[in-house]
Amino acid sequence: MKKSIYIILLATAFYTVSCNKFLDIVPKTQVPQDQQFDTEQGFKDALTGVYINLKNESTYGKELSFATIENLVSSWDVTNNTVEQQLGLYNFSDSKVIDKFNRIFSQQYKTIAHINAILQQIDLKKSVLKTAGIYEIIKGECLGLRAFIHLDLMRLYGPMPQNPAIGNELAYVTEFGRNINAHISYESYKAQLLNDIKQAEELIKSVDPMLNYSMADIRNPNGYGSAFKPDDDFIAYRNMRMNYYAIKALEARANLWYGDNDKAYLAAKEIIEARNEKNVPKFQLAGGLEYTASNFMLTTEQIFGLYAYDMAKTYTNYFGNGLYRKGTSATTITNQLYGNTGTDFREATLWNLITMTNGSKYNVIKKYLTNENNVTVSTDYKQIPLLRTSEMYLILAETAPFNEGLDYFKQFRLSRNIGSTAIPQDKSGLLSEIIKEYRKEFYAEGQAFYTYKRLNVPKIQVLFAPSAALINYLLPMPTVESSN
């Protein structure tokens, strides 16, 4: 039976020279797979469709950024007998919780299926890819994205790294088809994931403009004063694609998860030490300027993020109305989360205490608060963060020898204006502080749960955990099985 897949092809979001704003993303066409890949544009459109899938609300558009994954660590106030409350209690047998994880699981494997459809055809039809370097970029991005999603599937549904024998085995899906894929061992899964990352790096390193231009230029292709002048819009905005450094950041994250600290260290260090022509660091930590400019998503710090043209609506629908909130007084945030430093940029700028029409007061985070219109290249902050420079500093702080790691940690703290706080005196104390920073730094971005799980953090260190919660990092296997 001929396999076919229908992928909604969407025009790539890009800035026009005349108005300097992203165009709305609209459906383009639907075509069967056997015709989809007869042209270079067909491959480009198919990969664009993958990035659109990544923004689905069942994954990084909501559930794996600020919703379900954050409810697992009780980031938001909840109402009794809701799915959000059950998530915070780790009640994985609740029918609504099961449904949540089924949707996440299915959508992730659906996106992998779209990636595999491209990879299945790209070598067979390599001759249609006429633009120099486009084969390497498309195939490299696909392999990197496949590894990225599979890692998050492992981090969410798989076992804890300290004891991989206890927990679910998962399928690492590398073929496009309708057959159920066999679950494989933890080590086999790891080997395939790291192999995808290695292949992606090798393919993309020689052709990715990210290595040749500053991040300011990359974020402003063909713009005034930018040295980056791509002829093809598909090559523009590499910071919002699975670029070379995003693959290296993924390599660091993956090796940290699997306990290969030396490899995680080397991958993260390559990013931090990357330099522009004038020996200026390519990836720098954000600071006061970003917070003052209301760039709460710290887009200048993102190694890889997804453009979200409707982020203003996300804020209105989920945060501005108090739906996602934490605490009824400012002290919940200033004291419990940030330690009442009085200086931390995040403590001072990232939260609002809003008053609802009924008089209730709630703390709401401003990360998703952006201007919808009348923005320029430098003031458009509508970007979902997936890999950030700050994470690389925290990885280095954890994996480097103590004194070196402490130096990276000090640099990170200084960027957040808390350089004067007490300095850890040993490796154990440093790790404890790193855990706290993952909680503070990636609030509403979905990374705290993975850190708690990776390190098997006890309940006493899980900030905001309900007294009735029985911490359980081992999610059951979803009740749906997905075929690609």
Side-chain angles (χ1 to χ4, degrees):
M1 179 183 296
K2 182 173 69 174
K3 303 173 186 142
S4 47
I5 182 173
Y6 292 86
I7 302 175
I8 298 177
L9 304 178
L10 297 102
T12 305
F14 59 92
Y15 281 105
T16 62
V17 175
S18 60
C19 63
N20 278 336
K21 65 182 290 188
F22 272 107
L23 300 179
D24 286 342
I25 301 173
V26 294
K28 185 177 180 183
T29 185
Q30 292 183 345
V31 293
Q33 184 193 350
D34 54 0
Q35 299 173 27
Q36 168 78 60
F37 301 112
D38 285 344
T39 65
E40 180 177 304
Q41 189 60 47
F43 277 96
K44 291 176 178 178
D45 289 340
L47 181 52
T48 299
V50 169
Y51 284 100
I52 301 305
N53 270 340
L54 289 172
K55 294 187 291 185
N56 187 284
E57 283 206 340
S58 290
T59 53
Y60 304 105
K62 180 186 175 188
E63 303 299 352
L64 293 182
S65 55
F66 63 84
T68 294
I69 194 71
E70 290 288 338
N71 284 123
L72 281 173
V73 291
S74 299
S75 293
W76 314 118
D77 292 346
V78 297
T79 303
N80 287 337
N81 301 318
T82 60
V83 63
E84 290 80 14
Q85 183 193 46
Q86 299 308 310
L87 285 164
L89 294 173
Y90 300 89
N91 183 7
F92 298 137
S93 63
D94 180 86
S95 60
K96 291 181 180 178
V97 171
I98 291 171
D99 185 54
K100 281 275 189 185
F101 288 124
N102 279 347
R103 288 201 300 271
I104 293 169
F105 185 86
S106 296
Q107 182 62 36
Q108 289 286 65
Y109 275 112
K110 176 183 176 183
T111 304
I112 290 170
H114 288 196
I115 292 169
N116 286 336
I118 300 170
L119 289 170
Q120 180 174 281
Q121 295 292 321
I122 197 164
D123 286 316
L124 295 173
K125 297 188 176 181
K126 185 177 179 180
S127 62
V128 308
L129 302 174
K130 306 295 185 182
T131 303
I134 204 69
Y135 164 82
E136 289 82 2
I137 283 178
I138 292 176
K139 186 172 182 180
E141 286 187 28
C142 282
L143 289 168
L145 289 169
R146 186 166 75 181
F148 183 93
I149 298 170
H150 274 107
L151 177 61
D152 276 357
L153 285 163
M154 173 57 67
R155 295 199 297 173
L156 187 58
Y157 299 102
M160 293 158 64
Q162 305 93 333
N163 193 353
I166 300 176
N168 299 317
E169 290 186 343
L170 302 172
Y172 198 95
V173 183
T174 59
E175 295 183 0
F176 173 73
R178 297 189 179 279
N179 297 325
I180 298 295
N181 293 277
H183 295 189
I184 59 177
S185 71
Y186 185 82
E187 287 299 319
S188 296
Y189 194 102
K190 169 187 172 182
Q192 291 198 45
L193 190 152
L194 294 176
N195 185 57
D196 272 356
I197 292 174
K198 180 181 178 181
Q199 287 189 63
E201 288 178 9
E202 292 172 349
L203 281 163
I204 214 164
K205 185 173 185 178
S206 62
V207 296
D208 195 339
M210 286 282 285
L211 285 87
N212 302 318
Y213 298 95
S214 71
M215 289 308 297
D217 288 343
I218 288 291
R219 296 186 185 102
N220 187 23
N222 291 311
Y224 177 77
S226 175
F228 182 37
K229 308 287 186 184
D231 295 327
D232 188 344
D233 288 321
F234 188 77
I235 307 300
Y237 300 103
R238 297 296 301 155
N239 56 309
M240 287 182 277
R241 307 294 290 255
M242 181 55 73
N243 59 74
Y244 172 75
Y245 289 107
I247 295 166
K248 292 302 295 187
L250 175 62
E251 180 184 353
R253 179 186 281 180
N255 279 303
L256 185 72
W257 177 263
Y258 285 113
D260 294 327
N261 285 2
D262 290 344
K263 292 179 180 178
Y265 168 85
L266 291 173
K269 192 168 185 177
E270 180 176 338
I271 295 166
I272 298 307
E273 293 189 344
R275 295 290 191 270
N276 297 327
E277 287 184 359
K278 296 182 179 180
N279 203 34
V280 176
K282 189 183 290 282
F283 298 98
Q284 301 184 49
L285 288 164
L289 290 177
E290 281 82 1
Y291 291 103
T292 300
S294 300
N295 184 1
F296 304 123
M297 274 300 186
L298 304 183
T299 55
T300 59
E301 201 176 274
Q302 292 185 32
I303 304 168
F304 172 39
L306 301 171
Y307 186 72
Y309 67 96
D310 58 350
M311 186 173 282
K313 186 181 296 183
T314 297
Y315 178 81
T316 299
N317 291 345
Y318 296 112
F319 299 97
N321 59 7
L323 184 62
Y324 285 83
R325 60 190 188 271
K326 191 62 183 178
T328 57
S329 70
T331 57
T332 303
I333 300 304
T334 57
N335 292 2
Q336 293 181 255
L337 181 59
Y338 297 110
N340 197 25
T341 67
T343 60
D344 194 323
F345 290 135
R346 299 164 299 185
E347 179 184 329
T349 64
L350 267 185
W351 294 78
N352 270 336
L353 185 63
I354 64 172
T355 302
M356 307 302 292
T357 54
N358 63 1
S360 299
K361 294 181 181 293
Y362 299 123
N363 290 299
V364 296
I365 198 165
K366 296 192 289 185
K367 280 190 176 179
Y368 293 83
L369 177 60
T370 59
N371 292 325
E372 186 171 11
N373 301 309
N374 301 319
V375 293
T376 66
V377 172
S378 61
T379 61
D380 193 339
Y381 309 139
K382 299 188 287 289
Q383 195 168 309
I384 302 168
L386 296 182
L387 289 161
R388 289 211 277 126
T389 304
S390 58
E391 183 181 352
M392 299 302 105
Y393 272 85
L394 293 177
I395 288 174
L396 287 169
E398 183 176 344
T399 59
F402 176 67
N403 287 332
E404 183 185 352
L406 188 60
D407 184 57
Y408 284 118
F409 191 63
K410 288 178 181 178
Q411 291 179 60
F412 166 76
R413 277 189 167 182
L414 188 63
S415 74
R416 301 305 185 249
N417 204 31
I418 50 174
S420 61
T421 52
I423 300 300
Q425 298 301 305
D426 54 30
K427 194 77 172 178
S428 175
L430 177 57
L431 184 60
S432 179
E433 292 301 313
I434 289 171
I435 291 169
K436 293 177 185 177
E437 289 302 333
Y438 269 102
R439 185 65 165 131
K440 292 184 277 186
E441 182 69 10
F442 302 106
Y443 214 105
E445 294 181 38
Q447 296 303 318
F449 173 79
Y450 300 132
T451 301
Y452 289 156
K453 179 175 180 176
R454 174 173 62 85
L455 297 171
N456 193 20
V457 172
K459 181 178 177 179
I460 194 172
Q461 290 182 258
V462 179
L463 184 64
F464 301 134
S467 58
L470 296 175
I471 303 295
N472 180 9
Y473 299 120
L474 293 177
L475 276 67
M477 198 67 191
T479 58
V480 295
E481 276 289 350
S482 177
S483 64
N484 67 324

